[in-house]
Amino acid sequence: MTVGEMLAATVPMAGTLNLEFLETTAERAVVRLPDQPAYHNHVGGPHAGAMFTLAESASGAIVLAAFGDQLSRAVPLAVKAEIGYKKLAMGVVTATATLGRPAAEVVAELDAGQRPEFPVRIDITREDGAVTGEMTVVWTLRPNA
């Protein structure tokens, strides 16, 4: 099972929005939100909440891809998120997530008995490539007690 398939199967909201996990590696995660009238806002584009969920799901995908081998000793948790809506989003939108710190650095902190925090940066784009939103989710790996 791929990271995208696992998220689609275990995170009900990802399934509800019909998110498509196009790429899920430790370096990058790309997730697409199809154009669905049921999730439009008052101007006919994707609702802000749907775009937030899209971006947060992309961040979760890269976290699982980068740190899935640590799940036996720590649980990944989102600590906080900030999103900025830059341009009108219409039609299909895609979220591309990247880690803000090297994974090895985060694991080294976990190895040292710390609870590391690290940012994941996400760009939300329209099909024409225009960036319609930017989001940062700060994650932690909480050691299992």
Side-chain angles (χ1 to χ4, degrees):
M1 183 178 274
T2 67
V3 170
E5 290 168 343
M6 183 175 68
L7 281 171
T10 61
V11 179
M13 185 57 97
T16 297
L17 291 178
N18 301 305
L19 298 182
E20 300 167 358
F21 293 84
L22 306 178
E23 180 181 339
T24 52
T25 69
E27 290 76 38
R28 189 170 98 131
V30 181
V31 182
R32 180 171 42 213
L33 173 66
D35 186 21
Q36 302 167 90
Y39 304 114
H40 282 178
N41 59 20
H42 62 289
V43 294
H47 188 277
M51 288 192 296
F52 183 98
T53 300
L54 167 70
E56 196 275 341
S57 296
S59 77
I62 197 169
V63 167
L64 285 178
F67 303 108
D69 60 341
Q70 303 300 317
L71 294 180
S72 64
R73 65 183 189 139
V75 61
L77 297 170
V79 175
K80 63 182 174 180
E82 184 174 339
I83 192 166
Y85 301 101
K86 306 294 182 183
K87 291 185 178 184
L88 184 61
M90 298 297 283
V92 174
V93 288
T94 302
T96 302
T98 56
L99 286 178
R101 290 180 58 200
E105 190 178 283
V106 174
V107 172
E109 288 181 13
L110 187 62
D111 290 342
Q114 300 173 16
R115 183 176 170 168
E117 289 190 2
F118 54 94
V120 175
R121 294 185 181 91
I122 308 100
D123 285 336
I124 305 169
T125 56
R126 297 186 304 225
E127 286 189 297
D128 67 2
V131 176
T132 63
E134 297 171 335
M135 184 172 178
T136 299
V137 180
V138 175
W139 286 83
T140 189
L141 295 179
R142 186 191 75 200
N144 296 334

